[in-house]
Amino acid sequence: MAKFVVEQSAPLRGEVTVSGSKNAVLPIMAATILTGEPCEINDVPHLKDVDVMCAILRAMGGKIQEDWTNHTLRIDNSGINTSEAPSDLVQKMRASFFILGPLLARTGRASIALPGGCTIGNRPIDLHNKGLRQLGAVIRVEQGRVDAMIERYKGALVYLDFPSVGATENIMMAATLARGVTTIENAAEEPEIVDLANFLNKMGAKIKGAGTDTIRIEGVEKLHGTHHAVIPDRIETGTFMVAAAITRGDILIKNSVPDHVRPVIAKLMECGAVVNDEVEGLRVRGDLRQLTATNIKTLPYPGFPTDMQAIFMSLLTTVEGESTVIETVFENRFMHATELCRMGANIEVDGRKATIPGDIYRLKGTRVISTDLRAGAALVLAGLIAEGTTEVTEIYHIERGYENFVEKLQGLGAKIERVEDE
Ligand code: UD1
């Protein structure tokens, strides 16, 4: 098993270029199931999760040409000849559940293993199913599988009890080929939803309102092939923003969309970091002022992203004063707090609230576990400022979601190595 060995590093300085968004590309890849014509996707990050989605499409009869020099995938799903997704692959990644909607729309049936639990919360699928049922699907969830069939496939009004990102995406994809109009109310508004809607509209779908809480989808007969460049990853952007602040460094983050990271900018500025929207990218400086405490509450977009919570918590352990973090999106997303405490942080967790006393000299290197993707990134950043050596294990989580993380950090002066654990 590989691990990252991180040494206390000098302030990070220089430029870094953000990759395409993981959470945008995965549903877009699933959406290619909606057409038998070839699609080309550009700015694709080469990540483990993308490899899993490629393997799923191939196992179902899709043909994919991977061109990693140009970060391009050419997907031809004309050969999809099954309604059943391969269970072993689906169980590897929760995002594989995105194929439910498109597969149902394409073949009238879909049979998929349940994505299962996950360390950050129990992550149910009731909202996905509720929406698809309203479009006319008959769905049975039994013995770890979801079996769905469309009897009368018709547009409908779907109200989501919570603005779930995945449910909004699954329902939006399925609705593109339904007869009549579907309206999703209390829809998620994340930039990845807008990117998916843009891709679907290029395929010939008629979607309006993506990026607001009401999305209207007028069903069409058929979708066609297209090409599309994926948006930059806003969580990777946020990660490097925090890397600049936590190491009291100065980083220019290229290929970033400031509008997608507004809450992260606001909170970093509240802490005393300086953030400028320059021609070439976002420049974040943590070296100009003493950084101080702030309070965070995670919310659906455009609120503070839950995916940035762990990463920001690492920063808060190093600033002057006491901060609080409230997690409202997932019920069990404080596992990194335990690991940060092993590094000397004195974080108190009470239900969904964490209280974090900060001090720049607080963290000390030790061996910590990357319990999930963003927790792992948080520990790597903490390792850069901690005294001594930090070993981050179970890094396969991190490699699911960050392209060339080690190389990018090294390019900014970080002392980090990937080593095979004995
Ligand atoms: C997506 C992102 C993930 C991010 C999350 C919230 C992808 C691949 N992943 O995950 O990185 O952390 O959005 O921004 O895009 N819920 C239900 N019933 C459902 C579906 C969700 O109760 O049917 C609940 C979940 O348990 C959770 C909340 O809704 O508490 C948010 O989940 P959701 O927005 O669906 O997240 P994902 O789409 O799984």
Side-chain angles (χ1 to χ4, degrees):
M1 290 262 258
K3 64 183 177 189
F4 289 153
V5 178
V6 189
E7 300 287 342
Q8 188 176 42
S9 303
L12 299 196
R13 291 186 191 283
E15 296 177 4
V16 66
T17 302
V18 170
S19 300
S21 161
K22 167 180 93 71
N23 287 354
V25 77
L26 295 171
I28 286 173
M29 289 173 74
T32 63
I33 294 176
L34 290 163
T35 178
E37 295 181 17
C39 294
E40 181 176 299
I41 312 173
N42 306 118
D43 292 345
V44 179
H46 193 188
L47 303 168
K48 290 266 153 60
D49 276 7
V50 169
D51 289 339
V52 174
M53 190 59 97
C54 283
I56 291 174
L57 295 177
R58 284 194 178 108
M60 295 195 309
K63 287 206 176 72
I64 304 173
Q65 205 189 322
E66 299 176 39
D67 171 2
W68 292 118
T69 320
N70 295 305
H71 285 91
T72 294
L73 290 177
R74 291 180 196 88
I75 305 180
D76 175 352
N77 282 332
S78 54
I80 287 206
N81 51 14
T82 173
S83 301
E84 200 164 318
S87 304
D88 51 330
L89 292 170
V90 167
Q91 277 160 344
K92 278 193 180 168
M93 176 177 77
R94 184 175 159 89
S96 45
F97 203 63
F98 287 136
I99 63 175
L100 178 66
L103 197 56
L104 198 53
R106 165 102 180 245
T107 69
R109 306 179 80 95
S111 176
I112 301 186
L114 272 178
C118 156
T119 49
I120 64 173
N122 88 58
R123 303 184 92 173
I125 48 157
D126 55 316
L127 298 172
H128 299 244
N129 291 348
K130 174 182 166 183
L132 295 173
R133 282 190 177 115
Q134 271 160 321
L135 296 180
V138 176
I139 303 180
R140 277 187 314 155
V141 185
E142 260 172 23
Q143 294 174 335
R145 291 200 76 77
V146 180
D147 286 296
M149 233 180 81
I150 282 276
E151 283 183 343
R152 56 178 171 84
Y153 192 26
K154 254 176 65 192
L157 174 65
V158 178
Y159 174 81
L160 293 179
D161 302 296
F162 182 88
S164 153
V165 175
T168 303
E169 291 172 334
N170 239 333
I171 297 161
M172 189 164 81
M173 289 190 276
T176 54
L177 293 176
R179 216 171 322 124
V181 173
T182 297
T183 307
I184 310 176
E185 289 184 354
N186 200 27
E189 300 174 36
E190 270 69 1
E192 294 77 21
I193 292 187
V194 178
D195 206 33
L196 175 63
N198 288 341
F199 177 70
L200 292 166
N201 282 340
K202 286 185 191 172
M203 293 172 85
K206 291 191 176 163
I207 303 173
K208 286 193 179 140
T212 75
D213 64 1
T214 307
I215 304 180
R216 185 179 185 278
I217 306 124
E218 195 182 322
V220 295
E221 280 288 306
K222 201 171 172 280
L223 295 180
H224 52 74
T226 188
H227 56 86
H228 182 77
V230 175
I231 54 170
D233 196 306
R234 66 192 163 97
I235 306 302
E236 189 191 351
T237 304
T239 305
F240 284 108
M241 292 172 76
V242 173
I246 199 170
T247 63
R248 304 331 190 235
D250 177 1
I251 306 181
L252 177 70
I253 304 161
K254 293 177 157 180
N255 195 34
S256 49
V257 181
D259 261 350
H260 293 173
V261 286
R262 289 281 162 223
V264 182
I265 294 177
K267 287 294 162 185
L268 280 173
M269 289 174 69
E270 272 179 33
C271 287
V274 174
V275 184
N276 281 314
D277 182 2
E278 298 187 354
V279 183
E280 284 191 276
L282 267 175
R283 183 163 176 200
V284 183
R285 299 194 66 169
D287 58 346
L288 295 179
R289 281 184 279 197
Q290 177 167 351
L291 302 189
T292 52
T294 191
N295 300 320
I296 303 260
K297 185 176 183 181
T298 66
L299 287 168
Y301 192 87
F304 190 90
T306 173
D307 285 349
M308 282 301 302
Q309 183 259 105
I311 294 158
F312 220 90
M313 192 182 287
S314 287
L315 170 66
L316 296 179
T317 62
T318 73
V319 301
E320 183 74 26
E322 186 177 280
S323 306
T324 57
V325 170
I326 299 177
E327 171 61 57
T328 76
V329 179
F330 289 104
E331 70 269 25
N332 185 24
R333 205 171 193 180
F334 279 143
M335 250 117 53
H336 47 281
T338 314
E339 300 304 302
L340 285 170
C341 286
R342 290 186 352 170
M343 296 177 74
N346 198 13
I347 302 166
E348 260 180 49
V349 174
D350 180 12
R352 290 184 178 235
K353 180 175 173 191
T355 307
I356 304 125
D359 172 359
I360 190 158
Y361 301 111
R362 190 173 281 282
L363 299 179
K364 310 267 182 283
T366 185
R367 192 176 167 97
V368 285
I369 302 168
S370 165
T371 49
D372 68 72
L373 165 57
R374 306 302 170 186
L379 296 170
V380 168
L381 297 196
L384 294 172
I385 185 103
E387 197 185 311
T389 306
T390 303
E391 289 187 7
V392 183
T393 64
E394 318 234 341
I395 58 167
Y396 53 89
H397 287 296
I398 305 176
E399 294 178 338
R400 277 185 39 223
Y402 287 91
E403 188 180 47
N404 299 333
F405 197 37
V406 168
E407 293 78 0
K408 286 183 183 183
L409 286 169
Q410 285 169 341
L412 295 164
K415 291 191 201 156
I416 176 170
E417 298 289 341
R418 182 186 197 279
V419 296
E420 288 300 326
D421 214 353
E422 49 302 329

